[in-house]
Amino acid sequence: MVAGLVSGRLALVTGAGAGIGRAACQVLSREGATVIAADRNYDAALETIKTHTALACGSNDKGDHCAVELDVSDSKSIKSLLQKIQEQYKEPPRIIVNSAGVTRDNWMLKMSEEDYDHVLNVNLKGSFLVMQSFARMMSEAAVSGSIINISSIIGKYGNIGQANYAASKAGVVAMTKSAAKELGKFNIRVNAILPGVIDTQMIKTVPDKVKESMLKMVPLGRLGSPTEVAEVIMFLSSDKSSFITGAAIDVTGGF
């Protein structure tokens, strides 16, 4: 069997229970990675591992895939995961995909402080805590790695009813660029992906009229698939992108 692009590497994917996170698990698994699927919804993460990873493909000689419950906004939850990984795999993940994210949309004048804080805590602070913890683990073990943070095209252009979400995703890009400058000396690359209108559960909550108006702004004229984003995650995870760090890549169909 031909070795995959990330054969033998350990990968941690947050938000792995659905959408882009689930697709990332599938593609990374297909290319030989051992996947740790992390999600606040443990059953959804377990479903990803059981049903949506390419268990028959690639070389998983570092151990079996696993599902874990994780609240990225809680440093205690992340610390617990660190300990589990050290016990089970005896090495740090060399691929980190920060895909956990939430929305709590409302007009800015009606948005509650609670809804603003919740979105920033998960999308921005959560990405920071995961990145900080696992970059430290990589640097202490003296291993190279790749961190991929999932932002959004909304972080670049903004969107009605999403002041909190736009702020969080814009912050992810700026944080990514700063982290890339700091972590390069450890041979840890950090990049961001800005998906556009992707066919996930999140887009299903958008009213049809709003969705139609958004699609009119996509030159390719359709929703993107989670797998199309996951293939870019795979590229950034592999040695094919070995001189790319601090980048923010749009995956939008031209939005």
Side-chain angles (χ1 to χ4, degrees):
M1 182 179 291
V2 177
L5 289 174
V6 289
S7 287
R9 298 183 193 178
L10 187 60
L12 169 67
V13 181
T14 71
I20 291 169
R22 175 169 281 179
C25 291
Q26 184 175 19
V27 173
L28 288 165
S29 165
R30 182 196 73 199
E31 294 296 331
T34 298
V35 176
I36 303 165
D39 199 282
R40 191 167 185 177
N41 183 336
Y42 172 75
D43 290 338
L46 189 61
E47 175 70 11
T48 293
I49 292 302
K50 286 184 174 180
T51 312
H52 298 278
T53 52
L55 290 170
C57 300
S59 159
N60 293 310
D61 58 356
K62 295 289 185 182
D64 295 330
H65 302 306
C66 75
V68 294
E69 183 177 349
L70 177 67
D71 178 356
V72 297
S73 66
D74 181 358
S75 58
K76 291 180 180 178
S77 181
I78 295 170
K79 184 177 180 180
S80 176
L81 175 58
L82 277 166
Q83 293 173 341
K84 288 178 183 177
I85 290 173
Q86 287 173 330
E87 291 170 4
Q88 182 167 344
Y89 296 101
K90 314 299 183 187
E91 65 174 349
R94 292 182 58 194
I95 300 166
I96 305 294
V97 182
N98 265 316
S99 185
V102 296
T103 57
R104 285 194 178 180
D105 299 347
N106 208 338
W107 299 104
M108 187 177 69
L109 298 182
K110 295 182 178 180
M111 185 175 292
S112 69
E113 184 176 353
E114 179 187 359
D115 284 351
Y116 179 88
D117 285 347
H118 180 67
V119 170
L120 269 289
N121 281 339
V122 174
N123 297 359
L124 184 55
K125 177 186 172 184
S127 294
F128 168 77
L129 291 174
V130 170
M131 181 165 58
Q132 180 190 55
S133 298
F134 286 93
R136 183 181 290 126
M137 191 181 186
M138 284 185 220
S139 65
E140 289 175 351
V143 298
S144 61
S146 178
I147 300 172
I148 301 98
N149 296 322
I150 305 302
S151 176
S152 169
I153 199 65
I154 301 302
K156 184 183 288 189
Y157 297 117
N159 195 32
I160 291 171
Q162 292 194 304
N164 51 358
Y165 184 76
S168 71
K169 293 301 188 178
V172 166
V173 172
M175 182 173 66
T176 295
K177 292 179 178 294
S178 297
K181 294 179 186 297
E182 294 187 22
L183 297 176
K185 64 185 177 183
F186 301 112
N187 203 21
I188 299 171
R189 298 183 296 110
V190 190
N191 294 288
I193 295 175
L194 285 68
V197 190
I198 308 298
D199 190 12
T200 64
Q201 194 62 40
M202 196 174 286
I203 199 65
K204 288 177 172 59
T205 66
V206 175
D208 288 340
K209 285 186 178 180
V210 175
K211 195 184 304 181
E212 289 170 11
S213 66
M214 292 174 74
L215 283 176
K216 288 178 182 177
M217 299 171 69
V218 180
L220 292 185
R222 62 175 176 83
L223 296 173
S225 75
T227 299
E228 288 174 307
V229 180
E231 294 290 356
V232 182
I233 292 171
M234 165 54 57
F235 169 69
L236 292 173
S237 300
S238 75
D239 293 339
K240 298 290 186 181
S241 60
S242 56
F243 201 55
I244 299 176
T245 193
I249 300 174
D250 295 2
V251 183
T252 66
F255 181 92

